[in-house]
């Protein structure tokens, strides 16, 4: 068991330690496939109003669709990550996209609410297979620039989330069945991911024989950061989970119910509301680019601090704003809040080196889970109160960002020079 763990750590760190170059071709491909995957995923919340009218749903039932999609992905992603840490599956990415394709077609042809839930579950499974392994591939191709690679990978997903509502506003004019047109995107993604699978299969970190665990050489490698006690690592993970809760529970209020909020409060059309959602999600995509590269330079803890707690004044203002200022504030919120996830994910990977798949699966899964649970609970709360009340309540969530103060600074350990080692001896 210990040898398996050591070998996993070697697989995760060997490319960077060996000074490999960043493979931008793979990074851009996996980021684009992330865009395709999340475009398909984001079509579901974009058509909530359409589904609500077609199947005569209340807000609680709308939230249950989101819960089914996100909770399926939430439960499976850590399990997928744990499994692929020990037994890498390079072609699982293409399989995951194929499952999403099946879910998309089922949703396009769904004759009942139960079929909609089943289709959402299929798309959740496809996303659960895709995210942990694709995050690992991004790290493999990073050449040691983990923050840059994770941001580039993540921005593809955020861009896809933004494109979903925009495409829904102009493509899905003929109703639910129009979703079938997006199957071509999924098929294209399968082809690209099959090629990525071939690259990863031949990458040396996927081959146990290509890197020998020489204890002497491993002893000479400096650790990524100063060793932390197990209790400190556990506390840090709990804090990161709390910050994720704050971020994604708040995002659930915007991503799932923003169109309803705009239509109800400002009486805009569905198409106009979807365009406003696209603008917000576009800001989220842009903000993602900033987080990790800045974190590589100044420290990820400071990026986490600013991106969670720094958004609080703007979330508090949002429920009191006009349509114009609601649009402006949503852009600011998206830009600031989006920088958190990539920084949190790489921070967690640094806390637990050698567990890239498990950590990625855990945090992607938790993100999906919080989005789904948040959408379901908030939907029920809307039915009991109002959307305005929910937006007032959620505006306080970023205050949880004060917990960032308790995170340790993961400063890299610098290797001592031979002369200094002799002096110390």
């Amino acid at each position: 068991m210990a040898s398996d763990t050591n070998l996993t750590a070697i697989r995760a760190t060997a490319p960077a330690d060996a000074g490999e170059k960043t493979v931008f071709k793979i990074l851009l491909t996996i980021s684009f496939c992330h865009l395709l995957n999340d475009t398909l995923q984001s079509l579901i919340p974009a058509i909530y109003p359409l589904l609500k009218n077609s199947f005569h749903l209340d807000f609680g039932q709308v939230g249950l669709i989101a819960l089914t999609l996100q909770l399926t992905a939430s439960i499976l992603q850590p399990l997928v990550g744990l499994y692929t840490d020990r037994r890498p599956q390079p072609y699982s990415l293409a399989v995951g996209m194929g499952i999403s394709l099946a879910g998309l077609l089922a949703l396009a042809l769904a004759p009942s609410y139960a079929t909609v839930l089943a289709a959402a579950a299929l798309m959740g499974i496809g996303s659960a297979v895709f995210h942990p392994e694709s995050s690992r591939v991004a790290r493999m191709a990073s050449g040691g620039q983990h923050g840059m690679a994770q941001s580039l990978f993540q921005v593809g997903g955020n861009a896809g989330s933004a494109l979903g509502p925009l495409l829904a506003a102009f493509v899905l004019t003929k109703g639910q069945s129009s979703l079938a047109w997006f199957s071509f995107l999924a098929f294209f993604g399968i082809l690209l991911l099959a090629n990525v699978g071939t690259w990863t299969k031949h990458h040396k970190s996927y081959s146990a024989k290509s890197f020998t665990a020489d204890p002497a050489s491993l002893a000479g490698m400096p650790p990524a950061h100063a060793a932390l006690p197990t209790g400190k690592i556990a506390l840090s993970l709990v804090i990161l989970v709390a910050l994720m809760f704050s971020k994604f529970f708040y995002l659930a209020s915007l991503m799932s119910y923003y169109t309803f909020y705009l239509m109800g409060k400002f009486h805009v059309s569905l198409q106009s509301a979807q365009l406003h959602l696209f603008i917000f999600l576009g800001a989220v995509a842009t903000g993602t680019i900033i987080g990790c590269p800045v974190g590589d330079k100044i420290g990820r803890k400071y990026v986490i601090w600013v991106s969670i707690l720094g958004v609080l004044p703007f979330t508090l203002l949002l429920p009191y704003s006009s349509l114009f200022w609601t649009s402006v504030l949503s852009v600011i919120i998206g830009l600031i809040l989006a920088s958190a996830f990539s920084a949190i994910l790489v921070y967690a990977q640094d806390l637990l080196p050698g567990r890239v798949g498990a950590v990625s699966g855990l945090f992607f899964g938790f993100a999906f889970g919080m989005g789904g649970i948040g959408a379901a609970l908030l939907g029920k709360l809307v039915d009991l109160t109002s959307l305005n009340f929910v937006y007032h309540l959620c505006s306080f969530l970023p205050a949880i960002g004060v917990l960032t103060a308790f995170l340790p600074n993961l400063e890299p350990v610098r290797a001592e020079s031979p002369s200094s080692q002799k002096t110390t001896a």
Side-chain angles (χ1 to χ4, degrees):
M1 185 71 70
S3 61
D4 288 344
T5 302
N6 291 336
L7 182 55
T8 303
I10 292 167
R11 285 172 176 167
T13 58
D17 294 337
E20 286 190 3
K21 293 183 179 179
T22 303
V23 188
F24 281 103
K25 178 181 178 181
I26 295 298
L27 274 179
L28 292 174
T29 301
I30 202 68
S31 179
F32 180 69
C33 290
H34 197 187
L35 180 149
L36 294 178
N37 179 82
D38 284 22
T39 295
L40 301 179
Q41 300 288 324
S42 67
L43 289 173
I44 297 181
I47 64 168
Y48 281 161
L50 180 63
L51 295 174
K52 187 175 186 294
N53 292 332
S54 298
F55 298 103
H56 309 290
L57 309 177
D58 58 30
F59 281 105
Q61 290 173 307
V62 171
L64 187 57
I65 299 173
L67 178 63
T68 302
L69 171 68
Q70 309 285 28
L71 200 57
T72 305
S74 174
I75 293 172
L76 291 179
Q77 285 196 51
L79 300 178
V80 171
L82 284 169
Y83 181 79
T84 56
D85 270 343
R86 295 188 176 277
R87 297 185 179 182
Q89 305 291 325
Y91 294 106
S92 62
L93 292 171
V95 172
M97 187 67 75
I99 297 172
S100 293
L101 171 60
L104 181 70
L105 292 175
L107 184 61
L109 303 174
S112 65
Y113 177 62
T115 312
V116 170
L117 292 179
L122 277 175
M123 296 190 73
I125 293 171
S127 189
V129 175
F130 175 83
H131 281 99
E133 191 67 9
S134 57
S135 183
R136 183 209 305 277
V137 171
R139 192 174 179 93
M140 287 170 57
S142 69
Q145 301 183 67
H146 300 150
M148 178 278 297
Q150 193 58 233
S151 280
L152 186 59
F153 167 70
Q154 197 63 32
V155 77
N158 289 137
S161 296
L163 280 175
L166 181 66
L167 295 174
F170 294 103
V171 177
L172 302 181
T173 54
K174 294 184 179 180
Q176 179 184 339
S177 60
S178 303
L179 282 171
W181 288 105
F182 292 96
S183 61
F184 292 104
L185 295 181
F187 184 72
F188 183 46
I190 291 171
L191 296 178
L192 291 176
L193 290 171
N195 288 330
V196 171
T198 300
W199 178 83
T200 56
K201 184 177 180 180
H202 293 94
H203 193 274
K204 69 180 183 180
S205 66
Y206 263 75
S207 173
K209 298 179 180 179
S210 63
F211 189 84
T212 304
D214 178 18
S217 63
L218 289 176
M221 292 182 183
H225 56 79
L228 295 174
T230 302
K232 188 72 171 178
I233 293 175
L235 177 62
S236 299
L237 289 175
V238 170
I239 292 172
L240 293 176
V241 166
L243 296 174
M244 294 275 287
F245 164 80
S246 168
K247 170 183 165 63
F248 285 98
F249 218 87
Y250 182 79
L251 282 179
S253 70
L254 286 175
M255 296 180 70
S256 295
Y257 301 110
Y258 193 45
T259 52
F260 294 111
Y261 177 75
L262 295 175
M263 292 166 66
K265 184 173 181 178
F266 302 111
H267 308 291
V268 300
S269 66
L270 172 60
Q271 188 177 59
S272 175
Q274 288 172 332
L275 289 174
H276 279 83
L277 181 60
F278 163 72
I279 292 171
F280 164 71
L281 294 174
V284 170
T286 304
T288 304
I289 304 174
I290 302 170
C292 264
V294 174
D296 283 341
K297 294 181 180 296
I298 68 172
R300 276 174 265 282
K301 176 179 175 179
Y302 301 107
V303 174
I304 296 169
W305 183 283
V306 172
S307 62
I308 301 291
L309 191 61
V311 82
L312 182 61
F314 305 105
T315 61
L316 292 174
L317 284 173
L318 185 67
Y320 303 97
S321 303
S322 65
L323 177 61
F324 171 77
W325 284 109
T326 295
S327 300
V328 172
L329 287 171
S330 71
V331 169
I332 296 172
I333 290 168
L335 283 170
I336 298 175
L337 200 56
S339 61
F341 182 68
S342 294
I344 289 174
L345 181 59
V346 177
Y347 185 99
Q349 290 173 347
D350 290 342
L351 272 176
L352 297 171
R355 295 297 184 194
V356 177
V359 170
S360 300
L362 174 65
F363 279 84
F364 274 112
F366 189 81
F368 275 69
M370 281 299 98
I373 293 171
L377 292 179
L378 293 176
K380 283 294 184 183
L381 190 58
V382 169
D383 287 333
L384 294 173
T385 57
S386 68
L387 269 172
N388 285 336
F389 174 80
V390 167
Y391 272 76
H392 278 86
L393 183 65
C394 290
S395 66
F396 292 94
L397 284 172
I400 295 175
V402 297
L403 294 176
T404 308
F406 299 98
L407 290 175
N409 293 318
L410 300 184
E411 298 295 339
V413 174
R414 296 181 181 180
E416 295 181 358
S417 64
S419 59
S420 64
Q421 290 176 355
K422 291 179 180 178
T423 302
T424 303

